């Protein structure tokens, strides 16, 4: 069939099952936007390209589908960068299509030209500068395949404007042929058997689950293995929700702001089985002391993760759906003993959980930020999709929300991107229109992409935003307090900060405010009962620390405020 | 330790930069990097010499393998190898020193590829150490400028890198 390059892009996206695109137009993608005008694809106009990238990311994390965003060349494309890097660090499947200046003027510093494939090379799984319109269908087919298979990630397709108006014979390829890319779902059974053997020998085994489990949709499998053999589990930030947080076998998040039980368990275990984790330095603390008494087994789909940070004694490379299923059968020999085996170890770790639960000083005078999270969790019955920005509020959300299922916690882990929350929540809500979505943000983070409120209002999304407004850049202030002699250099917003109720109203959303602990439950209840987007300005006390805390570079058992009582 | 790796990649603009960038980002010192066509027109072979310990090398190989355009990576260090480098050396050559230089060139089985009143240009292909040795001797006469290609290497084994396990 004859069609223009722009029509070919649109038709290819339809063939990939895309339903929703987030984007922002401009000169060099105009023909593509023109083609969108008469097709069935739904396009959401965000208010900033960074918003489009984060929204596509939030959509992908909430649904497991590939997120798609469009931007024009030059400034449009560079505005995507933070969103692309965020998705890359957390292995989120995404396809970004950017306009480029016409082929004839590429490389001449033309108006709105930027070398976007060059710029994004280190932060994409792969990228393309398309030079020939007839390649468009193949490139799009490949891009989606690369984005969603193996270790997922973002792919950029840069399309010079002239290709969008060239007529081609459209034919969508059925298969992908890439010599250099053959993700292997199934690994070596012997590697799995070695781990099962190590488990049989272990006295203090510990599972450590990460975002890979959620990406691979392998959480039910993992849960089965854990329940059958009753092995204690800790999670990374990205792994929260893989095992219900309320499961007694789940000891909580590990690392800098992890629980006492999780961090002590790492220091004490004799076999640590990392599953879809990348042993980030926020997790390991001082590497030399991390799990020093343990053999380490590592399950991952990405071979390059093995031995990257922590040297693994045993490694299983492959899709977790394959490897965990294989582990399940290899462990079957451990049999019904599962309940009794490791009982002492289990008792020990659960004792730590009971003796040193997450806690904070309650107050009747000021709203404690932790209490806001607890109240949101209570009122949403731990069923909402929780999205966060980055800072103290993010860590409190990770600590105090009782996540019950995968994809219920959406947060920027690897890059730690402030401004991620609102657009990601918009994407998540559009991907899961029937789920309650609550964004927990900080005043600093929220201001970074607050313009996306306009997008939420335009689509009347039922999104609820809770700003834990401490009028400071809380997490940075915490570091200044603990490690810089309370020299609070530029972390307080002058003049009392912004009026978020009026800001919300200016955008056409509902604004609510809570200033005292008594008002808090009502305000949250009202927000949840109000239609459309609601912003809650919750005035929390500023001088609060996220605890426990392992100082950067310290071993995990050196926790500030992490004593076992 | 020094490692020689051969990387077969799709012949695509930007791929060399991408690979060099990835290695540099891992704090690896690239001693030399050369790229050229192979027996297959759409495949480029990049020979990279890097310095680093074995664990770092494993990481570099794993990270490079992730690139979609990388078809194959072979570590050549441990294999029996043919390694060559090409150098062009412009050396000061006055009439009274010229015959001296000609002798040196002969001993090294190098070639004189250009002569004028003040200088000569010498071409030498060989192992790195041989080129180093020639440079050292010519240094006495004064090297005006020189250029070296960096190492290319081929395994002596019968098969091709692309077919190896
Ligand atoms: C884009 C970006 N810039 C800077 C930082 C560094 N940073 C990390 S947390 C933080 C403070 C966050 O403040 P706020 O959003 O108000 O949240 P709070 O910590 O007060 O809960 C900053 C500045 C970052 N993570 N991202």
């Amino acid at each position: 069939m004859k069609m223009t390059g722009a029509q070919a892009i649109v038709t290819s996206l339809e063939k990939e099952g895309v339903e929703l695109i987030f984007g922002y137009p401009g000169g060099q993608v105009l023909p593509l936007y023109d083609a969108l005008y008469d097709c069935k694809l739904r396009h959401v106009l965000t208010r900033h390209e960074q918003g489009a990238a984060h929204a596509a990311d939030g959509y992908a994390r909430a649904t497991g589908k590939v997120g798609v965003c469009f931007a024009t060349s030059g400034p449009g494309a560079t505005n995507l960068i933070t969103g692309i890097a965020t998705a890359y660090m957390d292995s989120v499947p995404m396809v970004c299509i950017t306009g480029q200046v016409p082929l004839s003027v590429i490389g001449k510093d033309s108006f709105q030209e930027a070398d976007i494939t060059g710029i994004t090379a280190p932060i994409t799984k792969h990228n393309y500068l398309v030079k020939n319109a007839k390649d468009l269908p193949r490139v799009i087919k490949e891009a989606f395949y690369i984005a969603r298979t193996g270790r997922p990630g973002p792919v950029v397709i840069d399309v010079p404007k002239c290709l969008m108006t060239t007529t081609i014979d459209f034919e969508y390829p059925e298969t992908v042929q890439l010599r250099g890319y053959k993700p292997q779902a199934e690994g070596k059974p012997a590697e799995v058997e070695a781990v099962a053997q190590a488990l049989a020998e272990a006295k203090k085994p510990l599972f450590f689950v990460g975002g890979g489990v959620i990406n691979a949709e392998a959480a039910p499998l993992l849960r089965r293995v854990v329940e059958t053999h009753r092995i204690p589990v800790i999670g990374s930030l990205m792994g929260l929700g893989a095992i219900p947080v309320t499961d007694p076998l789940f000891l909580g998040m590990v690392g800098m702001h992890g629980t006492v039980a999780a961090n002590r368990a790492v220091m004490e275990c004799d076999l640590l089985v990392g599953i879809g984790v990348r042993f980030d330095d926020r997790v390991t603390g001082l590497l030399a002391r991390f799990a020093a008494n343990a053999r380490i087994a590592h399950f991952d789909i990405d071979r390059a993760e093995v031995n990257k940070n922590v040297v693994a004694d045993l490694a299983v490379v492959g899709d977790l759906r394959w490897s965990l299923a294989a582990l399940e059968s290899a462990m079957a020999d451990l049999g019904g003993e599962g309940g009794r085996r490791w009982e002492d170890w289990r008792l020990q770790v659960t004792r730590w959980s009971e003796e040193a639960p997450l806690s904070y000083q309650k107050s009747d005078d000021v709203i404690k930020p932790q209490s806001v999270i607890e109240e949101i969790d209570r009122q949403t019955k731990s069923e909402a999709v929780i999205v966060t920005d980055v800072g103290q509020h993010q860590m409190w959300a990770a600590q105090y929300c009782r996540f019950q299922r995968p994809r219920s916690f959406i947060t920027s882990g690897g890059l730690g991107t402030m401004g991620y929350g609102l657009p990601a929540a918009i994407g998540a809500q559009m991907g899961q229109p029937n789920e309650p979505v609550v964004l927990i943000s900080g005043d600093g983070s929220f201001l970074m992409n607050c313009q996306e409120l306009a997008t939420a209002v335009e689509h009347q999304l039922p999104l609820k935003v809770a700003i834990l407004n401490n009028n400071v850049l809380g997490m940075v202030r915490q570091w200044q307090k603990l490690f810089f002699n309370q020299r609070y250099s530029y972390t307080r917003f002058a003049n009392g900060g912004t009026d978020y109720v009026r800001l919300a109203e200016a955008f056409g959303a509902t604004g609510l405010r809570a200033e005292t602990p008594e008002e808090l439950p009502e305000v949250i209840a009202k927000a949840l009962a109000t239609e459309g987007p609601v912003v809650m300005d919750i005035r929390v006390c500023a001088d609060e620390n996220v605890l426990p805390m392992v100082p950067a570079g310290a071993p995990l058992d050196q926790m500030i405020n992490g004593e076992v009582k | 330790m020094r490692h020689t790796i051969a990387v077969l990649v799709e012949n695509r603009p930007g791929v060399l930069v991408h690979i060099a960038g990835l290695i540099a980002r891992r704090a690896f010192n690239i001693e030399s990097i050369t790229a050229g066509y192979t027996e297959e027109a759409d495949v480029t072979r990049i020979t990279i010499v890097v310095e680093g310990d074995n664990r770092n090398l494993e990481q570099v190989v794993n990270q490079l393998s992730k690139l979609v355009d990388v078809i194959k990576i072979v570590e050549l260090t441990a294999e029996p190898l043919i390694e060559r480098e090409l150098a062009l050396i412009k050396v000061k050559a006055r009439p009274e020193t010229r015959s001296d230089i000609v002798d040196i060139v002969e001993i090294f089985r190098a070639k004189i590829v250009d002569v004028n009143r003040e200088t000569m240009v010498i071409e030498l292909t060989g192992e790195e150490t041989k080129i180093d040795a020639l440079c050292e001797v010519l240094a006495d006469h004064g090297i005006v400028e020189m250029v070296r290609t960096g190492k290319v290497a081929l395994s002596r084994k019968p098969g091709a890198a692309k077919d190896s396990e």
Side-chain angles (χ1 to χ4, degrees), chain A residues 200-527:
Chain A
E201 290 159 15
K203 302 237 160 11
K204 301 172 178 181
L206 184 64
F207 277 6
F208 171 25
V209 305
V213 173
I214 291 164
N215 273 344
E217 308 280 2
L221 248 172
L222 173 78
R223 218 173 287 179
R224 234 163 46 209
V225 176
V226 167
E227 296 301 335
T228 310
H229 299 284
R230 312 205 23 81
I231 296 171
V233 187
I234 58 174
S236 70
L237 181 71
M238 303 311 294
L240 293 177
I243 298 281
V245 166
T246 43
D247 188 322
L249 287 167
F250 187 71
L251 309 181
M253 182 168 73
V254 65
M256 182 171 279
H257 293 298
T259 63
V260 171
N263 284 350
R264 291 194 79 176
V266 171
M267 300 305 276
E268 287 262 342
C269 68
D270 66 356
L271 177 66
L272 182 68
V273 185
I275 306 172
V277 290
R278 57 192 185 86
F279 296 100
D280 182 272
D281 51 284
R282 281 287 189 268
V283 156
T284 61
L286 181 66
L287 253 186
R289 295 270 307 277
F290 178 76
N293 306 320
R295 294 175 81 194
I296 291 181
H298 192 174
F299 287 72
D300 209 292
I301 196 162
D302 183 357
R303 183 175 298 278
E305 282 305 321
V306 176
N307 294 344
K308 188 174 83 180
N309 298 328
V310 166
V311 179
D313 302 287
L314 300 160
V316 181
V317 177
D319 190 320
L320 292 177
R321 267 168 306 184
W322 164 79
S323 55
L324 287 176
L327 183 68
E328 187 178 31
S329 28
M331 282 178 78
D333 295 346
L334 295 177
E337 256 201 289
R340 257 163 295 137
R341 191 187 285 264
W342 306 311
E343 192 165 291
D344 291 346
W345 169 235
R346 221 163 26 238
L347 281 175
Q348 185 174 27
V349 295
T350 39
R351 204 176 316 121
W352 287 332
S353 278
E354 286 158 15
E355 285 170 353
L358 288 164
S359 66
Y360 60 95
Q361 202 75 50
K362 305 236 161 46
S363 165
D364 290 332
D365 309 324
V366 286
I367 303 181
K368 287 298 187 108
Q370 299 93 328
S371 72
V372 182
I373 313 272
E374 285 184 324
E375 187 59 24
I376 290 170
D377 185 61
R378 195 181 66 77
Q379 290 201 25
T380 57
K381 304 188 190 67
S382 311
E383 280 167 0
V385 174
I386 300 290
V387 185
T388 77
D389 267 296
V390 171
Q392 292 183 310
H393 63 275
Q394 176 190 33
M395 290 299 122
W396 284 317
Q399 291 178 331
Y400 290 93
C401 285
R402 292 173 298 173
F403 303 106
Q404 296 300 307
R405 60 194 161 90
R407 305 196 184 283
S408 60
F409 185 43
I410 295 179
T411 193
S412 166
L415 199 68
T417 308
M418 288 172 72
Y420 170 78
L422 181 58
I426 288 171
Q429 184 74 81
M430 291 197 147
Q432 299 286 10
N434 301 319
E435 303 276 350
V437 174
V438 177
L439 167 64
I440 294 171
S441 188
D443 46 340
S445 293
F446 186 75
L447 280 182
M448 280 206 184
N449 273 317
C450 61
Q451 75 286 351
E452 297 306 337
L453 262 184
T455 314
V457 168
E458 177 185 335
H459 296 275
Q460 272 306 300
L461 300 178
L463 184 63
K464 311 300 171 222
V465 181
I467 301 177
L468 305 199
N469 183 358
N470 50 13
N471 201 37
V472 292
L473 300 173
M475 187 57 97
V476 180
R477 185 184 189 277
Q478 172 167 343
W479 284 58
Q480 289 172 332
K481 180 173 179 177
L482 296 175
F483 311 116
F484 290 86
N485 269 329
Q486 306 187 22
R487 287 155 55 88
Y488 299 123
S489 176
Y490 301 104
T491 45
R492 170 167 293 277
F493 290 119
N495 309 325
T498 305
D499 184 337
Y500 295 99
V501 172
R502 288 172 65 190
L503 180 97
E505 284 164 357
F507 278 108
T510 305
L512 301 173
R513 176 169 293 128
E515 284 172 309
T516 63
E518 304 90 79
E519 286 170 359
L520 179 69
E522 277 167 56
V523 165
I524 293 174
K526 186 158 178 217

Side-chain angles (χ1 to χ4, degrees), chain A residues 127 179-180 302 304 307, chain B residues 10 12 55 58-59 66 70:
Chain A
N127 66 32
R179 269 189 295 193
D302 183 357
N307 294 344
Chain B
E10 298 285 350
R12 181 178 100 107
R55 211 186 128 212
E58 177 196 330
Q59 260 309 306
K66 285 172 66 164
V70 170

